[in-house]
Amino acid sequence: MLAGHRESATAVRDEVERLDLAADDGIIAATEGVTASFVRELVRRSVLRRLALAPSEPVRLDGATLADTLDGLAGERSVLTRAMLGG
């Protein structure tokens, strides 16, 4: 089972072509004080979201995509995730 998680994490990492964050995106301020695990989950979910929208295109993450995903992580349904990841 662990091997499957390791393979999927590698596949997600290999799909990311570019991460674009402008100073005014606000994502840096919004994630201040969270753990590295929380940031990793934020990026993982953002990549999966982009792949779902455009599976044949290279994945480029930007502040808007990360902010949308962060909003989802901040929702009521993600209370346990935030508690476990230190968000």
Side-chain angles (χ1 to χ4, degrees), residues 8-80:
S8 64
T10 300
V12 168
R13 185 187 65 226
D14 290 344
E15 290 294 328
V16 178
E17 181 175 286
R18 186 173 179 161
L19 175 61
D20 292 321
L21 291 179
D24 61 341
D25 280 334
I27 194 70
I28 295 170
T31 56
E32 185 175 346
V34 302
T35 64
S37 297
F38 186 87
V39 172
R40 183 176 46 214
E41 181 65 9
L42 173 64
V43 171
R44 186 188 75 81
R45 289 185 184 201
S46 296
V47 168
L48 293 174
R49 177 177 285 195
R50 294 296 295 193
L51 286 171
L53 294 173
S56 61
E57 295 180 20
V59 175
R60 291 186 176 92
L61 296 181
D62 56 19
T65 303
L66 291 168
D68 288 344
T69 305
L70 184 59
D71 287 345
L73 281 169
E76 281 187 29
R77 295 180 59 197
S78 296
V79 172
L80 181 59

